[in-house]
Amino acid sequence: MEVLSVASEVYPLIKTGGLADVAGALPLALVPYNVTMRTLLPGYPAVMAKLTETRVVAEFDDLFGAPGRLLAGRYAGLDLIVIEAAHLYDRPGNPYVGPEGWDWPDNWKRFSALSWVAAELGHGLVDGYQPQVIHCHDWQAGLTPAYIKYGPSERVKTVMTVHNMAFKGFFGPEVFGQLRLPPHAFGVNGVEYYGGISYLKSGMECADYVTTVSPNYADEIRTPEFGMGLEGLLNGRADTVIGILNGIDTVAWDPGADAALPQKFTATSVHMRAANKAAVVEKFGLDGTDGPLFCVVSRLTDQKGMDLLLQVLDGLVALGGRLAVLGSGDPGLEDGFRSAWQRHPGKVGLITGYNEELSHLIQGGADAILIPSRFEPCGLTQLYGLRYGCVPVVSRIGGLADTVIDANPAAIDAGVATGLLFNANDAHALYEAIRKAVRLYADDKTWKKIQRRGMKSDVSWETSAGQYADLYASLIGLKVNDDQDRSDDTL
Ligand code: ADP
Ligand code: GLC
C-alpha cells in the first residue's frame, strides 16, 4: 500500500512535541505491514539544512503567493517530500510561532499550502506516484480531506488523525476566498465552523476515517467536556472514528543502548540507574540526599496541569522528594517553577528550553515522572518513563489511563502495577499520589518490581502500526495481507 503522510513536524527533522515523534516513527513501523509511507512536510530552515541530496519532482508558479518546488529525498530512513517555498517556510522561530512567541499571521496560508500540495499529490501531480491513502495529522494537514472532497477526483482515501482537539486551526471567514476551494465548501459539511474556518473540523468532517491517538481519548472526545465543540460531529460519524494507541521508537529509546546515558541498563539491572540519577542530580544542582527524584519533561501549559503541580510542590519537598523540571512554555508557569527553585535550593531544579538528549538522561535517572494533565490524547513521556524505569505518576485521563496500571495493593500483589494514577484536575489527588510514590519508593523491593514491570510493558508500535495498516487496507478495499503490486514510482 502506498500512503502519503502529511505532518507539520517530523522527528528527527523538526520537533516541538509528540506529533513529531509519531510522524517520524510510524513510517518505519509500517514497513513490516507492506505499507510504503512517504511524508510530506514544509521546508523549514532546519529541514532544508538536513536534506542534502534531493530531486525536484514538481514546480509551482504560484504556491499561495510565490513560486515553490517539491523536493524528494531521504533522511534517517524516512522517504520525504519537502515543500521548498521560502515565502512560506524560510523563517526563524519554530514551525508555528516567530521568535517573539506569536503565531505567524499567515499560518492559514502556510498550512493551507501544505494541505493543498498533499491533495495535488493525491490527484496524481507526479507521474508514476499515486498514493492510495493520505494520512493527515492535526489541523495543519486538516484541509487536505476538503481539497480531495471538493477536488477533481476522489481517487485517494483520507484518514484524519487528531493528536490534540484543543488546536483547531481556526481562521476568520475572510481567508476563504484564497483557499482555492469552491464556494459551496464554505458550509456545515465542509470547512465552515462557527462562522469562520477550522482546519481541524474540515479534516474531521471530510476525511473517510477519523482516528485519535488512544482508545480512551476517542471515547472522551464524544463528550462536551473533552470534545471542545466537536463532539456532535464525532457522534454523527461514530462508526468511522477509532482510537489507535501511539507507540514509541524503541530503537531511539532503548535504555540498554542509549548514548545519552552515562550508565546503560535493562530490566534486570535497574539498580544501575543510580549512576544516571547522580548525573541528573548534578545537572540540576540538586542535593545528593536519599529520597525519590521526581521529574517533569513537558511543555509547561495548562493542558499538562503544571499549575496543579506548582500548588503541591512545597508538599513534595516536605515529603522528602526532589524535583527536576525540563520544560518551556507559559511564562507564568516558568516563573512559578523558577520561584520554587529559589525557595527550595537543592530540592527543585529547573532547566528551561528544549533538550532532547537531556530528556533521555532524565528518563534514565529520575525515579518517577509526574504527568498531571487535564487532558491527554495519548502522551508519550509516560511511555518513555515505562521503558526507562522512571515510574509514571499520571492523571487518570486519555491515553495516560490506557497505558499505566495503578499500583494499588491488588495490582502490586499480582505483579502488574506499572505506575500511579490519580484523578485529573485535582491538586489534592496529585499530592496524595506523590505521597504514595514516596512511600512505595521507601520499599525498595516493591519499587523495583514496579519499575521492572513497567520496563517490560509493550510500548512499541507493533500492534498499533498493524491497526493503521488494517485501516488503510479496509479503506482501499483490500483484504489485509493481500499481496499488492506496488506502482512503479519516480520518487
Ligand atoms: P505533547 O505532544 O502534548 O507535548 P507528548 O507526551 O505526546 O506531549 O510528547 C512530548 C514530546 O516532547 C516527548 O517526546 C517529550 O520527551 C518531548 N519534550 C517535551 N518537552 C521537552 C523539552 N523541554 N525538552 C526535550 N523534550 C521535550
Ligand atoms: C499531542 C498530544 C499528546 C500526544 C501527541 C502525539 O501533542 O497532546 O497527548 O501524545 O500529540 O500523538
Side-chain angles (χ1 to χ4, degrees), residues 17-19 22 138 163-164 213 246 299 303-304 375-380:
L19 165 62
V22 172
D138 269 354
H163 294 264
N164 197 330
V213 287
N246 285 335
R299 293 186 286 121
Q303 171 190 345
K304 302 292 178 180
F375 67 95
E376 196 61 76
C378 180
L380 297 177

Side-chain angles (χ1 to χ4, degrees), residues 320-337:
R322 283 162 295 164
L323 176 69
V325 178
L326 170 63
S328 59
D330 189 321
L333 292 170
E334 281 187 20
D335 282 350
F337 283 110

Side-chain angles (χ1 to χ4, degrees), residues 61-84:
D61 295 337
D62 176 12
L63 185 58
F64 290 76
R69 305 195 296 176
L70 290 191
L71 308 178
R74 273 180 74 78
Y75 188 78
L78 299 168
D79 280 314
L80 303 167
I81 306 175
V82 173
I83 307 177
E84 185 191 48

Side-chain angles (χ1 to χ4, degrees), residues 318-474:
L319 288 167
R322 283 162 295 164
L323 176 69
V325 178
L326 170 63
S328 59
D330 189 321
L333 292 170
E334 281 187 20
D335 282 350
F337 283 110
R338 213 166 278 124
S339 82
W341 178 19
Q342 282 153 5
R343 252 189 349 269
H344 300 292
K347 303 295 178 198
V348 175
L350 170 69
I351 297 182
T352 52
Y354 190 88
N355 187 331
E356 187 77 21
E357 198 177 325
L358 182 56
S359 75
H360 285 240
L361 173 64
I362 294 171
Q363 296 273 16
D367 297 301
I369 183 161
L370 299 174
I371 314 179
S373 304
R374 289 197 162 81
F375 67 95
E376 196 61 76
C378 180
L380 297 177
T381 55
Q382 83 279 14
L383 303 181
Y384 299 135
L386 288 170
R387 183 141 168 92
Y388 277 57
C390 184
V391 174
V393 179
V394 305
S395 27
R396 191 179 286 104
I397 205 85
L400 299 171
D402 277 333
T403 52
V404 178
I405 301 173
D406 183 49
N408 55 52
I412 293 174
D413 284 350
V416 296
T418 60
L420 288 166
L421 290 161
F422 57 90
N423 286 341
N425 207 2
D426 179 344
H428 181 69
L430 167 61
Y431 174 75
E432 284 303 321
I434 290 170
R435 202 151 73 104
K436 198 164 159 193
V438 172
R439 233 182 15 242
L440 282 170
Y441 177 82
D443 172 358
D444 190 56
K445 204 164 148 224
T446 303
W447 188 259
K448 290 218 165 60
K449 192 168 154 187
I450 296 170
Q451 285 180 302
R452 276 195 294 270
R453 181 64 186 83
M455 291 183 75
K456 289 182 180 150
S457 305
D458 181 9
V459 290
S460 77
W461 267 108
E462 199 177 323
T463 308
S464 300
Q467 286 177 272
Y468 278 115
D470 289 353
L471 172 61
Y472 305 145
S474 71

